[in-house]
Amino acid sequence: DLRSSARGNQGVADFSLIKQLSISDALDKTKDTLAQNESVAGRLAVLQTVPDSVPWLYGSSYVGAALFFIHRSLWPDKPRGGGAHVGAIIYGGSSNTSGYLDTGFPIPAEIEAYWNFGVIGVIIIFALFGLYQRYIAHLYLNSPNNPYLALLFVITMFELPGPSRDSIVPYSQLLVLLSVTYFIVFRSA
């Protein structure tokens, strides 16, 4: 309720809702929300509508992930992730995600790859993902005493479960922090 109050109020949350908090009501509402989300899963929505009534994304969700470091204030039309696309385009009936602030419906990596490039895209995206993981593992195995490569390997294996925007952006943020930290430590040593 608190998060929903901020959406309809230009980002200003109604904190008076906290005073009215009832644990049993909150649990019931959570159960209802989970049941609703399962019935309108993003996965099924994409598979049912793309490409017949909803167009392909042609890599736009990956462009937004790759250029995560460009703030939306500098690039207002920066491509959004699959969940926002499902909410805005499939359920919201909009032609794009511009200005969309409502509920997103997360989609798994294989569905995001499909929506971007079709079945062939799923094969190619996952092949590239496997090659990337193999490359990182190879770097680490060739230099197991390098702390930077050890951390890179661990972060890659645990923080990048699949080639989706929802995984790529936080992983990329961790890589930036790791690289900056390594640079600072290396320069001071």
Side-chain angles (χ1 to χ4, degrees):
D1 288 341
L2 184 63
R3 192 170 62 187
S4 295
S5 74
R7 281 191 207 119
N9 222 3
Q10 280 87 29
V12 178
D14 181 9
F15 288 102
S16 68
L17 295 171
I18 294 174
K19 295 176 187 174
Q20 306 162 5
L21 180 64
S22 163
I23 299 298
S24 63
D25 289 345
L27 286 173
D28 289 340
K29 188 165 187 166
T30 299
K31 288 177 187 174
D32 292 343
T33 301
L34 288 173
Q36 179 185 14
N37 285 347
E38 288 175 0
S39 68
V40 292
R43 172 190 321 242
L44 295 175
V46 171
L47 291 175
Q48 184 169 357
T49 59
V50 174
D52 297 331
S53 57
V54 173
W56 300 107
L57 294 178
Y58 295 113
S60 67
S61 69
Y62 294 117
V63 170
L67 300 174
F68 74 94
F69 54 87
I70 300 176
H71 196 272
R72 202 166 291 282
S73 65
L74 299 174
W75 186 10
D77 294 330
K78 183 169 81 169
R80 305 270 308 268
H85 278 87
V86 172
I89 297 170
I90 295 177
Y91 290 117
S94 180
S95 62
N96 58 46
T97 60
S98 182
Y100 183 74
L101 298 174
D102 209 351
T103 303
F105 298 88
I107 56 175
E110 66 275 8
I111 299 300
E112 184 171 0
Y114 171 76
W115 195 354
N116 277 282
F117 305 112
V119 174
I120 298 298
V122 175
I123 295 167
I124 293 170
I125 293 293
F126 274 85
L128 291 172
F129 176 68
L131 288 171
Y132 177 73
Q133 285 195 316
R134 181 177 182 216
Y135 173 73
I136 297 299
H138 179 73
L139 283 176
Y140 170 65
L141 291 173
N142 284 334
S143 187
N145 295 327
N146 183 326
Y148 175 79
L149 293 178
L151 280 172
L152 176 62
F153 174 73
V154 170
I155 288 171
T156 301
M157 295 304 129
F158 288 102
E159 295 297 323
L160 190 61
S164 71
R165 184 188 188 282
D166 292 343
S167 298
I168 293 169
V169 170
Y171 172 76
S172 300
Q173 291 168 339
L174 282 172
L175 286 187
V176 168
L177 289 173
L178 176 64
S179 299
V180 167
T181 303
Y182 184 76
F183 178 74
I184 291 170
V185 170
F186 181 71
R187 293 285 286 183
S188 65

